[in-house]
C-alpha cells in the first residue's frame, strides 16, 4: 500500500477557458440571478448588491451571493472527485499544465478518456517522465471482447517520478466527444506496508429514507463514497516512520493506493481519495507487525 500526500499545485495553462460567467467587479451593480466568477468559483446573486465581495457575502440570512461551485477550468483542482472539468463535445483533447515542485507522484481521478499522456519536466525543461497510457481495461477472452461493452479505467496513479525542486506536469486526455477529469493529485508518495488478503471495501450511502405520518416511504437518492479497511504487513523497523506519516494525515484528504500494483490490471476499487478514519497496529513478533487502516472516501 502507498499513500500520496498531496501538495499545493498551481494551474499554469489549460485548454479549457474560464468563461463560465463575467468576473466580479467591485463597482458593478448586480441584480438577482446574475452570475459572476471570483477566485475561480461561480456565484449567483440572490439579492441586488454593489461592492459586496462574493466569498464574504455568501452565507447567512443577509447573503447577497450563493456559491454554485468551481469554474469548469478549476473543477479538477477542488477537493471533490465528483466535480469534473469537461472539454467541449466537439473537442477530442483536454490539456493542462500544473506545477510539480518537489513531487514524486501524481494521480488522475474520475476521468473520461481513451488515452492519457503525462509529461514531467524539471526547471531546465529536461523530460523526467513521459508516458502515454491506453485506458482500455483488460478483457478475459474473445467472447468479452466481441460481445460485451469495452470498459475503461477511471483512475490512474504514478508514484515513481524523480524529485525536482522545480518541475511541471503536463497532461493530455484524449477522447472523442470531449474528455473529462474529476480531480488531480500531486505530491509525495510514501510506502506504508504490504496489503494482505481479507481486505474489506464498500461504500457509505448518503441517500435518505423519508416516511410521512401515514407510513408512505420515499427514497431520496444522494451521493455515496468509497470506504475500505486495509490489513497490512510491516517490518518493525518501519513502525515509527509509518506512525509519523499517518499522524500528519489526520483530518486531511489524501490518496490511498490499496493495491500494491499500479495501472492497468490493478484493483481500482482500492484506490480511495479520502481521510484516515482509524488505524491500529499489533506487534505479532520480532519480525512482523500487523496493521489495519480504515479509510473513508470523499465524494
Amino acid at each position: 500500500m502507498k499513500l500520496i500526500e498531496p501538495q499545493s499545485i498551481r494551474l499554469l495553462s489549460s485548454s479549457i477557458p474560464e468563461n463560465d460567467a463575467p468576473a466580479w467587479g467591485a463597482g458593478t451593480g448586480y441584480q438577482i440571478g446574475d452570475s459572476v466568477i471570483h477566485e475561480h468559483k461561480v456565484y449567483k446573486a440572490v439579492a441586488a448588491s454593489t461592492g459586496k465581495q462574493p466569498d464574504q457575502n455568501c452565507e447567512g440570512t443577509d447573503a447577497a451571493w450563493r456559491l454554485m461551485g468551481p469554474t469548469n477550468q478549476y473543477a479538477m483542482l477542488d477537493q471533490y472527485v465528483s466535480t469534473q472539468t469537461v472539454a467541449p463535445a466537439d473537442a477530442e483533447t483536454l490539456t493542462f499544465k500544473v506545477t510539480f515542485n518537489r513531487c514524486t507522484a501524481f494521480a488522475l481521478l474520475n476521468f473520461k478518456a481513451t488515452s492519457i499522456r503525462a509529461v514531467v519536466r524539471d526547471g531546465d525543461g529536461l523530460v523526467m517522465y513521459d508516458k502515454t497510457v491506453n485506458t482500455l481495461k483488460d478483457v478475459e477472452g474473445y467472447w468479452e471482447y466481441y460481445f460485451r461493452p469495452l470498459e475503461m479505467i477511471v483512475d490512474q496513479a504514478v508514484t515513481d517520478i524523480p524529485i525536482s525542486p522545480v518541475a511541471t506536469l503536463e497532461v493530455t486526455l484524449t477522447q472523442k466527444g470531449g474528455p473529462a477529469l474529476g480531480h488531480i493529485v500531486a505530491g509525495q508518495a510514501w510506502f506504508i506496508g504490504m496489503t494482505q488478503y481479507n481486505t474489506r471495501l464498500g461504500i457509505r450511502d448518503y441517500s435518505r429514507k423519508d416516511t410521512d405520518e401515514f407510513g408512505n416511504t420515499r427514497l431520496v437518492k444522494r451521493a455515496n463514497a468509497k470506504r475500505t479497511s486495509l490489513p497490512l504487513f510491516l517490518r518493525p523497523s518501519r513502525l515509527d516512520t509509518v506512525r509519523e506519516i499517518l499522524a500528519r494525515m489526520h483530518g486531511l484528504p489524501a490518496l490511498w493506493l490499496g493495491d500494491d500494483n499500479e495501472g492497468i490490471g490493478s484493483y481500482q476499487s482500492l484506490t480511495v481519495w479520502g481521510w484516515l478514519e482509524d488505524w491500529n497496529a499489533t506487534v505479532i513478533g520480532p519480525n512482523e507487525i500487523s496493521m489495519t487502516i480504515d479509510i473513508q472516501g470523499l465524494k
Side-chain angles (χ1 to χ4, degrees):
M1 174 192 175
K2 290 181 181 178
L3 158 71
I4 298 182
E5 182 179 0
Q7 295 188 14
S8 177
I9 57 177
R10 181 165 49 91
L11 184 65
L12 301 176
S13 64
S14 174
S15 61
I16 305 299
E18 195 171 39
N19 57 2
D20 308 59
W24 175 77
T28 303
Y30 295 99
Q31 302 299 318
I32 297 176
D34 290 343
S35 295
V36 298
I37 294 176
H38 181 66
E39 294 184 348
H40 312 298
K41 296 178 181 178
V42 178
Y43 295 84
K44 178 173 285 189
V46 295
S49 67
T50 300
K52 291 190 175 182
Q53 189 169 308
D55 60 333
Q56 298 177 1
N57 295 274
C58 63
E59 297 180 355
T61 57
D62 59 345
W65 298 94
R66 177 184 298 163
L67 175 61
M68 306 305 293
T71 62
N72 185 33
Q73 186 186 78
Y74 270 75
M76 64 182 181
L77 293 171
D78 66 0
Q79 292 294 320
Y80 303 101
V81 177
S82 57
T83 56
Q84 290 182 311
T85 293
V86 182
D90 58 351
E92 293 190 7
T93 60
L94 191 165
T95 303
F96 63 90
K97 181 189 292 186
V98 296
T99 54
F100 200 68
N101 305 334
R102 297 179 177 86
C103 295
T104 61
F106 72 89
L108 307 175
L109 307 177
N110 188 26
F111 57 73
K112 184 178 70 172
T114 54
S115 69
I116 298 173
R117 183 187 180 191
V119 181
V120 177
R121 293 183 173 90
D122 65 10
D124 296 324
L126 178 66
V127 175
M128 300 189 296
Y129 178 90
D130 186 350
K131 189 173 183 180
T132 300
V133 175
N134 187 311
T135 61
L136 180 67
K137 284 186 178 180
D138 291 336
V139 294
E140 296 183 358
Y142 288 107
W143 190 92
E144 286 195 359
Y145 181 82
Y146 285 107
F147 298 106
R148 293 189 62 181
L150 298 179
E151 298 180 349
M152 305 289 178
I153 62 172
V154 295
D155 301 323
Q156 176 73 13
V158 178
T159 62
D160 57 353
I161 299 176
I163 193 169
S164 175
V166 179
T168 60
L169 168 65
E170 185 173 353
V171 177
T172 300
L173 294 90
T174 303
Q175 175 166 297
K176 290 184 179 180
L181 175 61
H183 194 52
I184 176 171
V185 182
Q188 291 277 351
W190 304 106
F191 174 72
I192 303 300
M194 295 180 61
T195 303
Q196 305 296 291
Y197 288 109
N198 295 322
T199 295
R200 300 198 309 270
L201 61 152
I203 63 168
R204 173 168 290 176
D205 192 351
Y206 295 99
S207 299
R208 286 181 52 190
K209 182 180 70 172
D210 290 339
T211 304
D212 62 20
E213 58 182 319
F214 301 103
N216 299 312
T217 300
R218 180 172 64 98
L219 293 178
V220 181
K221 186 176 180 180
R222 294 185 176 178
N224 63 77
K226 291 180 181 179
R227 63 182 309 172
T228 184
S229 181
L230 300 167
L232 307 177
F233 168 83
L234 277 75
R235 294 293 183 186
S237 60
R238 291 279 303 160
L239 179 60
D240 289 343
T241 299
V242 169
R243 180 186 58 81
E244 292 173 1
I245 294 172
L246 297 180
R248 294 200 304 267
M249 294 297 100
H250 280 286
L252 298 174
L255 187 68
W256 308 82
L257 305 173
D259 196 331
D260 294 328
N261 299 311
E262 296 179 7
I264 303 293
S266 63
Y267 290 108
Q268 294 202 334
S269 296
L270 299 181
T271 297
V272 181
W273 169 252
W275 53 281
L276 178 62
E277 194 171 45
D278 190 17
W279 70 271
N280 62 79
T282 302
V283 179
I284 302 299
N287 297 312
E288 180 180 355
I289 290 179
S290 175
M291 175 176 283
T292 300
I293 294 181
D294 296 326
I295 306 299
Q296 174 58 57
L298 297 171
K299 185 60 177 175

